[in-house]
Amino acid sequence: MREQAPAIEAWISLLRGQSAAVGAVNAQLVADHGLTVNDFECMLLLARAEERRLRRVDLAEQLILTASGVTRLLDGLEKEGWVDRAACASDRRVTYAVLTDEGLAKLREASKTHVADLRAFFEARYTSEELEQLAGLLGRLHADAPELDCSVD
Amino acid sequence: MREQAPAIEAWISLLRGQSAAVGAVNAQLVADHGLTVNDFECMLLLARAEERRLRRVDLAEQLILTASGVTRLLDGLEKEGWVDRAACASDRRVTYAVLTDEGLAKLREASKTHVADLRAFFEARYTSEELEQLAGLLGRLHADAPELDCSVD
DNA sequence: GCGATACAATTGACTACGCAAGCAATAGTA
DNA sequence: TACTATTGCTTGCGTAGTCAATTGTATCGC
């Protein structure tokens, strides 16, 4: 029952580490700005996007949420006036989520402390080399996992 | 608005990577055994504990859940007969969570595929050296973060 | 042009948590 | 002994997310 494979160690560290980190960072962000981590990331993606807008489906993919999760996330941001809707001329099924000027202002304001908090949190634990290592390693988790879900052998 | 600090890169990778990994692994575990990742980890902690039992408070700390989260997690496991309650002789406030024989059997059965899935998932992406690196790095996230929450300067 | 199929988005019902409040038992203090 | 904290646990309520079903629009084969 006692496990030893490095994969298992990594898995446990991932579960615990992410919970701890997200818990701390999110609490700070909520306390300081009334935004959750996903609110922030969502607005950030919009801010970086062409014309400050994205299809909901693309937002879902990048945030790793389902379509309905995005609908509900955006509901909240729309209520606050930080995000608005816009129709797509070439495909009437899609509704863009657009970051408003207020949303951009809010994002900029929140960024000031949030980015500093993030850097403080990570730089207290890692050197910049280690941060690059970590980012590189974690990035691979996102990629396809043929082994896991298509066991056709 | 566009960010470049390695800390931010690491943060994004952590958010996305964990979501992707937990999503995949959890879906597999639920499909194969009707257990969530937390169900599994909880039973695993109990299995490894002295007399296969733990105080709910200790379980909460290790799983990074609140006390109420643990109560509800255990509710489900108790309903299935995998976990039972036991009083503590020396302190009548505490109720132990005890892994039953059925629970241990269920855990062993689930372990067979789950551990293999985990190894497949991670070993498809990393060498064993990288896994050790990753586990070591992630482990630091869990430690105290004096910088973040006591900004007394 | 027309049906079958696919896709974007929303909605209702549900789950898994957290937080705050409350209860019971213990520990500290006088 | 009594009075006050503190601790372990549970419960009501709120929130963030999922899944399954639905609607409206596109697109493909013919």
Side-chain angles (χ1 to χ4, degrees), chain B residues 4-137:
Chain B
Q4 70 294 353
I8 310 298
E9 297 304 318
W11 169 243
I12 303 281
S13 300
L14 177 63
L15 288 178
R16 304 284 181 272
Q18 193 265 2
S19 280
V22 172
V25 170
N26 193 58
Q28 194 80 17
L29 188 55
V30 169
D32 290 351
H33 303 285
L35 291 175
T36 67
V37 162
N38 267 354
D39 290 338
F40 185 93
E41 300 290 331
C42 177
M43 294 208 281
L44 182 58
L45 285 171
L46 290 173
R48 290 176 166 185
E50 196 80 17
E51 304 188 60
R52 279 165 29 193
R53 69 188 195 184
L54 284 172
R55 302 187 314 159
R56 296 158 117 74
V57 133
D58 299 327
L59 221 31
E61 195 195 343
Q62 299 210 248
L63 292 170
I64 315 207
L65 284 180
T66 60
S68 62
V70 167
T71 294
R72 281 158 175 143
L73 178 60
L74 290 174
D75 279 350
L77 300 178
E78 285 168 25
K79 232 165 254 159
E80 300 286 345
W82 296 325
V83 167
D84 207 353
R85 294 163 167 263
C88 172
S90 61
D91 187 338
R92 262 172 296 187
R93 288 172 302 182
V94 341
T95 321
Y96 285 113
V98 195
L99 191 67
T100 63
D101 292 343
E102 291 78 13
L104 186 58
K106 178 70 183 177
L107 179 63
R108 285 206 167 109
E109 184 207 323
S111 290
K112 285 179 201 159
T113 68
H114 184 50
V115 171
D117 286 345
L118 282 177
R119 295 189 56 160
F121 187 92
F122 282 92
E123 292 171 5
R125 291 171 169 75
Y126 306 106
T127 68
S128 59
E129 275 180 16
E130 289 171 334
L131 282 171
E132 281 176 35
Q133 269 191 0
L134 186 60
L137 290 170

Side-chain angles (χ1 to χ4, degrees), chain A residues 89-140:
Chain A
S90 61
D91 187 338
R92 260 172 297 187
R93 287 172 305 182
V94 341
T95 320
Y96 285 113
V98 195
L99 190 66
T100 62
D101 293 343
E102 291 78 15
L104 186 57
K106 177 72 182 176
L107 179 63
R108 286 207 166 110
E109 183 206 323
S111 290
K112 287 180 199 158
T113 68
H114 183 50
V115 171
D117 286 346
L118 281 177
R119 295 189 55 161
F121 187 92
F122 281 92
E123 292 172 4
R125 291 172 169 76
Y126 305 107
T127 66
S128 61
E129 276 180 16
E130 289 171 333
L131 284 171
E132 281 176 34
Q133 269 190 0
L134 186 60
L137 291 170
L138 287 171
R140 293 188 222 162

